[in-house]
Each structure stands twice: as C-alpha cells, then as structure tokens.
Amino acid sequence: MHWSILEIKIMQERLFWELAKATDETKRWEIKEDLESLKTMLSQLKRKKDRFFPVAPIANYQRIEENKKFVKLYTPLLINPLYFIEKFDYLSKYPLKNTKVNFLTQKKLLQAFFESINLDDFYSKMLENNRIEVARKKYFITDAIGLTIPILSSELPFIFTVFDKTIKTSTIIAHELGHAYQSVNCTNLEQEQICLDSVTTEVFAKFLEYLMIDFLKKTDFHDQAYLLEKSKLNSFIATYEQFNYGNYYSSGKRLIANSLMFYFINAYRHNPTFDLIKEYNHAFLKGEDIKYIKCIPTSILVSSISDTYESFLANCPRKK
C-alpha cells in the first residue's frame, strides 16, 4: 500500500488552477492548506526530515473551554482507583508473546475485516485511489504511529502508517480508516471545527481498532490480538494516572473516549447488528457529543469498562 507521487503532483496542479480562479476567502484558505499538506507529503516521501504539522482550522475556543469544564467534572465519575490498581496487577500475569506477520497476510485480514462490518466499499475506494501509505520506517516526525491527513478539497484523505512487522499494523490501519471516514463526513469548516474540538474525536477510530482486535481473536493470530488488547487496557490505566497527576483535559478526553469505546464495543459484542456508524453520524458529527454522553448513565459506562477488563481476564488464553 503506497501513495502515488504522480497523483499527488497532479492534485497539486489542479489546486493551483483552482486557487487562481477562487474568489471566496474560505475556499482560498482551504486550497492553500491543502497545497501545504501535499507539499509536506511529497517532501516526506523523498525522506526529507521536515517536521509535519497536520492541517487544523481555527480553533473554536468557546467550545474548548466548555469541553474543559465538562471533562474535569465528568471524568472522576468514571474512575474507581482501587479497581484499576487491582486489574493492573492481574494483567501482569498474562505473559503473551508477539510474533512477526508479513504484510500480505495482513492485507487479506483487513479485507475480510472490513467486509464483516460493511466498510469494504470505503476501504476499497481508499486503496484504489492510492490513499494509504504503509512505509518500512517512520519518516514523518510526529509522535503518532499512524496519521490521517484530510484534504479539504478532495473526497478522500490520506493515511500513513509504518509496517512494524507485527499484526499491530493492521489495527493501526483500521484506526486510521475510522478517522478517514470521519474526515469524509466533515467536509466543511464548521464540521471540521466540531470534530477537532470534540471530546469524542477518537471514539469511532478506537472502536474500529478494537473491533479489528476482536476479529483477530477468531484467527490464527489470537495470541497477538490478546497482547494488543492487554496493551490497550494497560494504556487506559496509565491515562488515569496522568489525569490523577493534573493533566485534566488531554488525559480526561482520552478516558471519556475510551469509556465510550468500551460501551460501544460491549454493545457490539452483545448485538453485532449495532450500527455505530449511524449512531456516530447522528450525534457526534452534529457537535452534540457532550449532550449525547450525558444521556448515557455513568453507571452504564463504568460497567462497560469493568466488563471489558473482566472479558479479557476470562478469555485470554495464556493465564499462568
């Protein structure tokens, strides 16, 4: 899976012509940002070590302040410190080992996975348009393992990730495809601001990533799938520690997003016809994420968190 340098250059040429003709200021801003993204992508493909700054619209500061207040007050309602200290100790008793998996095998697994959740048309469209780059090494200078680069004037974004020779690559692609789907459904400036400032920006991507892990549990790679799930559960505990040390907004948003993801995962496990895509479009893309969260009793979110941990402890095949 690779981007096409030729197609990126053709896209650049088209945008230069559109910029010359555009008179609307918002449209000109979108085109300029797209040209900057494409320029950076080409420089990265040539292995130049320029730092990459993802395109971001002007922040909605009023919304951010409202979110900060909500996150600081709401997050402690989800957390039971003694429960997580106990679970962290239990998770350490599952000594899972990772193994190398070639990428051709992962491509077949990804195709089967997206077919199983009816997203194969979107995935195929991304592949056919050369929008997924799986590199041998990380050459974007960011902290992210995967990256989705929205092109506001194009129907499809670009996805970047690194092949680390393990099954994790397939779950990162599933995660980034969630962001790509989100990007396709956020086509104007207002919607982009809603999603970037949203408490729930990561929920859909995390949901697809976790679904991919569940899918892998039914294959020959079940041990690696449980290893990935263990990492996710440990990360949730670590994020709680960050929140406890005062990193309220960033870690609080992640805790709420993960709690929602656990809620949706458990809903899907009990009812595979559960349609998160429809749910996501209905609530999150309209900027009603906080209103939506408040409609879910905190007791249900808390039980979803504990159910996810208990399910892992009950089903992981390598207990001592």
Side-chain angles (χ1 to χ4, degrees):
M1 294 182 187
H2 294 288
W3 295 336
S4 165
I5 293 179
L6 177 60
E7 286 184 19
I8 293 174
K9 288 183 175 179
I10 291 172
M11 192 179 294
Q12 274 186 317
E13 290 296 321
R14 176 178 60 79
L15 286 173
F16 278 127
W17 279 105
E18 288 184 9
L19 182 63
K21 295 185 292 182
T23 56
D24 180 74
E25 283 303 312
T26 301
K27 182 66 176 177
R28 288 180 61 83
W29 174 86
E30 288 183 354
I31 294 172
K32 287 178 182 178
E33 294 291 356
D34 285 349
L35 284 169
E36 190 61 32
S37 291
L38 294 173
K39 177 184 174 183
T40 306
M41 288 163 59
L42 285 174
S43 72
Q44 297 296 327
L45 287 173
K46 295 173 183 176
R47 305 302 192 267
K48 293 181 180 178
K49 296 295 182 180
D50 302 326
R51 185 163 181 82
F52 179 74
F53 294 98
V55 176
I58 301 168
N60 184 332
Y61 292 108
Q62 182 180 352
R63 183 176 174 79
I64 290 175
E65 288 304 312
E66 291 173 357
N67 287 348
K68 283 182 177 179
K69 291 176 183 177
F70 171 75
V71 167
K72 190 170 183 178
L73 292 172
Y74 187 81
T75 306
L77 302 177
L78 304 174
I79 305 302
N80 180 339
L82 294 177
Y83 176 85
F84 287 111
I85 290 170
E86 179 187 44
K87 295 307 166 191
F88 186 80
D89 181 57
Y90 282 150
L91 288 173
S92 67
K93 297 177 181 178
Y94 290 71
L96 299 162
K97 293 183 180 180
N98 216 341
T99 56
K100 293 182 179 180
V101 183
N102 69 66
F103 189 64
L104 183 59
T105 299
Q106 297 197 52
K107 281 184 69 175
K108 293 177 181 177
L109 288 168
L110 281 163
Q111 184 64 44
F113 166 66
F114 288 121
E115 286 176 3
S116 73
I117 60 171
N118 299 318
L119 272 181
D120 49 315
D121 286 346
F122 182 65
Y123 174 64
S124 296
K125 199 171 184 180
M126 291 286 288
L127 288 179
E128 290 165 3
N129 287 274
N130 301 309
R131 295 304 173 100
I132 303 176
E133 170 78 11
V134 181
R136 289 286 176 180
K137 62 180 181 178
K138 184 177 179 179
Y139 47 82
F140 275 99
I141 309 175
T142 70
D143 296 329
I145 301 172
L147 200 61
T148 298
I149 306 167
I151 303 296
L152 302 177
S153 57
S154 174
E155 183 184 354
L156 296 172
F158 287 86
I159 287 175
F160 173 84
T161 191
V162 178
F163 177 50
D164 68 353
K165 300 181 181 179
T166 73
I167 203 71
K168 183 177 181 180
T169 302
S170 62
T171 65
I172 298 300
I173 292 175
H175 180 107
E176 295 305 326
L177 198 91
H179 284 309
Y181 178 86
Q182 179 182 11
S183 175
V184 167
N185 283 277
C186 298
T187 53
N188 59 47
L189 181 60
E190 181 182 2
Q191 286 180 319
E192 283 286 349
Q193 287 180 330
I194 286 171
C195 289
L196 287 169
D197 298 339
S198 171
V199 174
T200 56
T201 301
E202 291 288 328
V203 172
F204 187 67
K206 286 177 178 287
F207 175 74
L208 288 191
E209 183 179 359
Y210 223 101
L211 274 189
M212 183 65 188
I213 292 172
D214 273 4
F215 177 83
L216 292 170
K217 289 176 185 176
K218 302 170 187 175
T219 70
D220 293 338
F221 306 101
H222 48 80
D223 280 8
Q224 291 96 315
Y226 277 104
L227 179 63
L228 289 169
E229 184 174 21
K230 175 184 174 182
S231 174
K232 294 294 176 191
L233 297 176
N234 276 331
S235 177
F236 186 81
I237 296 170
T239 305
Y240 162 69
E241 291 296 328
Q242 292 172 14
F243 181 82
N244 213 26
Y245 280 109
N247 185 6
Y248 294 118
Y249 189 49
S250 177
S251 56
K253 280 206 305 183
R254 292 201 301 275
L255 286 169
I256 293 173
N258 276 297
S259 300
L260 279 167
M261 183 266 292
F262 290 146
Y263 167 67
F264 290 132
I265 278 293
N266 280 281
Y268 190 85
R269 284 173 174 175
H270 289 98
N271 178 18
T273 62
F274 173 76
D275 192 349
L276 178 60
I277 295 176
K278 182 179 179 181
E279 195 86 12
Y280 180 83
N281 286 336
H282 177 70
F284 301 156
L285 290 182
K286 293 181 179 178
E288 298 176 353
D289 47 335
I290 290 178
K291 182 179 177 181
Y292 180 86
I293 295 168
K294 288 179 177 179
C295 290
I296 306 172
T298 53
S299 59
I300 292 180
L301 289 181
V302 171
S303 65
S304 296
I305 298 168
S306 59
D307 285 350
T308 308
Y309 277 82
E310 297 302 336
S311 175
F312 174 86
L313 295 170
N315 296 302
C316 184
R318 291 198 175 185
K319 187 175 182 181
K320 279 187 175 180

